[in-house]
Each structure stands twice: as C-alpha cells, then as structure tokens.
Amino acid sequence: MKRYSYITLATILAAGFFTACEEEEGTAPGNDSQPRVTVYSFTPDDEQYDSDNDVKVRVAANNKAQEIYYLAETSDAVESFIKANGENAYYDKVVSSGKKVDVKPAETGDIYVTGLYGQNTITFVAVNGSTHNAAIVDFFGYTWTTISEGTYTFSEKATSRVGLEKVATSFQVCKDEAVTRYRFKDLYGIGKHLVMTDAELEQPVEGYSFVRIFAQATPFSYGSYGAINVRDLAEWQGDESYINLDYGCVIAENGSYAQIFVQYYVSAGSLGYGLDEYVAKKAE
C-alpha cells in the first residue's frame, strides 16, 4: 500500500507564520529575545582625532542588551584566536578584557576608537546574563612617515578663494597599500590634509615624482555655494597630458621641493586654479 503525505492549508500558513517571526526577531522593537548590538562607523568630526588612525563608532543596543563591551585588535590576532579557541571564547575575551560602552538598553551612543594601525577588527559584544551576540567594525589605520618639514605657499587664486597664504606643514609618505600615497599634513587645519597618490608614469623624470590629486573636499566654503573642493588639472580637464612639468604636481624625491597645480571648485563650477609651492626647511 502506498503512503501519501498531505499538507493542509493550515500547515502552510502556520509554517509561514513561524518563519516570519523568526526573521523579524532582533529587529522589531520590544520583540527581541536576545541581546543585540548594531554598529556604524564614521570619520571623526572632532579635530582632536586623526581620521587615518581613529574611528567614530555609533553603538545601538536593543532592549535586551544589558551591557556592551568592545575590543580592538589586529585582524590577524582575532582570526588566530578564533581559529584556536572558537568564536564564543573570543566573545568571552571581549567581555573580560575589553572596554564597557556607556549605552543603556534600547539606546544609542557614540564612542571613538583611537590609535589603530594596519588592518584591525573592532568587536562589540552585547550581553544579557549568559547570552551574548556580537557585531564588528573593520578599520585600516595608515602609517605615515615624515620626509621633510617646511612651508607651503598657496597661489594667489587660493589666497583669494580660501584665504590662506603660507602654512607650516610636514610632507609625508605612506606605503601601506599597493599605490604609494603622500600628503601635506594638516594643510587646511588639524586633521585636514592634502592627499596625493603616485602618478606611476611610464617614463618617469629622474629625481622627481609626479603625483595625482584626485577630488577631495577642503573644510572651507564659498558663500552660499557650499564646500570648496580641490583637484589637479588632469582630473579637472579629464586629460592626463596635464601631468607634466608645466601644469602637473611634481615633488622632488628627497622631499625638498614641490610644485602643486590645483583647481578649486564648488558644485556650481570652477573657482580658478594656480600654482602652490612647498619648500622644505634646510637641515641644520
């Protein structure tokens, strides 16, 4: 005798109902059965923090999260620990060795995690008794090496638009990634750098490095037109032939001198361009 399995409409509806409840658990306010934490990362908006090595994290606790702890470690260290001991053991480590977040159940708060270099994993663990759940933020902290210190002189156009004439700054290099990056540190104020990348020319000029300045915001604004941005002429014109000694951005390999042709602009259009210069202090 053959057996037949019958699935009734009531069974289908019941299955659908329980599936929906399971998917919503932890997301519908007041219906959570476990502690949960949600995290969002931002670039620090406070001048005392360095966006290259510090990160702002918004921490949101659900109504069951009685306590939240966090621990920042290199991603390699986290991976090695979990591989040897398991995820739950690492969460226990976060609770026992990490810092407590001052966020109450069903509330949100901001914290700053500072002094990070290389690839890091910041693990947040929400706790309620013996139950815990985790969320992570990945962050890469850059290491900058100072090549020289000197004076950056802005073009007449920059002076009229931005109001800057001369600024003491450091010329720095970062080789943490495949493409070499450079910057003039704090050029537009604390934590507001002018960042450049290696132009990687097929026919380099001996003794000099051509760099690209891709579109980036300054902390300045122009009347009702909003934020002033800066970029090199090659990006402005969409023409890499501007990467030359006449209109390009060129830096002496020893960091003693730089000529920087840049355009200033707002969303409505160009504010003009000019030649900035950097001259390093002479060694004593």
Side-chain angles (χ1 to χ4, degrees):
M1 178 182 296
K2 292 183 179 180
R3 288 193 169 190
Y4 296 89
S5 296
Y6 295 93
I7 302 177
T8 65
L9 178 60
T11 304
I12 294 174
L13 291 174
F17 172 79
F18 285 115
T19 300
C21 286
E22 184 177 0
E23 290 174 349
E24 291 180 0
E25 189 171 322
T27 58
N31 292 338
D32 304 328
S33 64
Q34 295 184 343
R36 299 187 188 278
V37 57
T38 304
V39 292
Y40 308 89
S41 61
F42 301 90
T43 298
D45 49 10
D46 191 318
E47 288 187 351
Q48 67 177 302
Y49 297 103
D50 187 341
S51 60
D52 287 303
N53 306 107
D54 307 331
V55 61
K56 177 181 178 180
V57 182
R58 182 151 298 159
V59 183
N62 74 349
N63 63 318
K64 292 295 190 295
Q66 296 299 319
E67 295 178 328
I68 295 175
Y69 297 85
Y70 77 92
L71 182 63
E73 294 188 304
T74 65
S75 298
D76 287 342
V78 174
E79 184 179 350
S80 296
F81 188 98
I82 292 176
K83 186 176 181 179
N85 304 283
E87 286 188 347
N88 287 331
Y90 187 74
Y91 300 156
D92 290 337
K93 177 183 177 181
V94 173
V95 174
S96 62
S97 303
K99 296 180 180 180
K100 188 175 181 180
V101 182
D102 186 20
V103 175
K104 296 179 180 179
E107 292 189 356
T108 299
D110 294 338
I111 67 166
Y112 292 87
V113 186
T114 62
L116 303 176
Y117 294 88
Q119 186 62 53
N120 291 266
T121 298
I122 311 169
T123 306
F124 293 80
V125 176
V127 180
N128 187 326
S130 60
T131 305
H132 53 229
N133 276 297
I136 66 170
V137 168
D138 290 318
F139 180 83
F140 191 93
Y142 294 99
T143 301
W144 293 90
T145 302
T146 298
I147 303 301
S148 64
E149 296 181 349
T151 301
Y152 190 104
T153 302
F154 290 86
S155 67
E156 182 181 347
K157 185 65 66 176
T159 300
S160 64
R161 302 304 193 190
V162 182
L164 294 175
E165 295 184 9
K166 293 184 178 182
V167 175
T169 185
S170 299
F171 172 61
Q172 300 181 320
V173 63
C174 175
K175 296 184 178 181
D176 288 331
E177 295 184 319
V179 177
T180 300
R181 300 200 308 163
Y182 305 90
R183 74 178 182 183
F184 288 107
K185 181 178 173 61
D186 300 331
L187 189 66
Y188 302 122
I190 297 176
K192 309 298 182 182
H193 323 295
L194 177 64
V195 180
M196 303 158 284
T197 56
D198 210 334
E200 299 183 330
L201 298 181
E202 293 183 3
Q203 296 180 336
V205 178
E206 185 177 355
Y208 294 90
S209 295
F210 282 86
V211 295
R212 296 298 312 276
I213 299 177
F214 294 106
Q216 52 198 277
T218 75
F220 310 106
S221 59
Y222 187 69
S224 61
Y225 292 100
I228 297 176
N229 306 287
V230 63
R231 60 188 170 188
D232 63 27
L233 305 193
E235 182 175 356
W236 174 30
Q237 296 298 319
D239 185 352
E240 293 191 354
S241 69
Y242 280 89
I243 307 174
N244 57 49
L245 289 172
D246 293 323
Y247 294 103
C249 301
V250 188
I251 298 172
E253 289 183 350
N254 62 2
S256 61
Y257 174 80
Q259 71 163 35
I260 306 294
F261 269 102
V262 289
Q263 177 222 16
Y264 292 88
Y265 67 100
V266 293
S267 58
S270 177
L271 297 177
Y273 71 93
L275 170 63
D276 299 347
E277 291 184 289
Y278 168 79
V279 179
K281 295 187 296 185
K282 293 182 179 180
E284 297 180 357

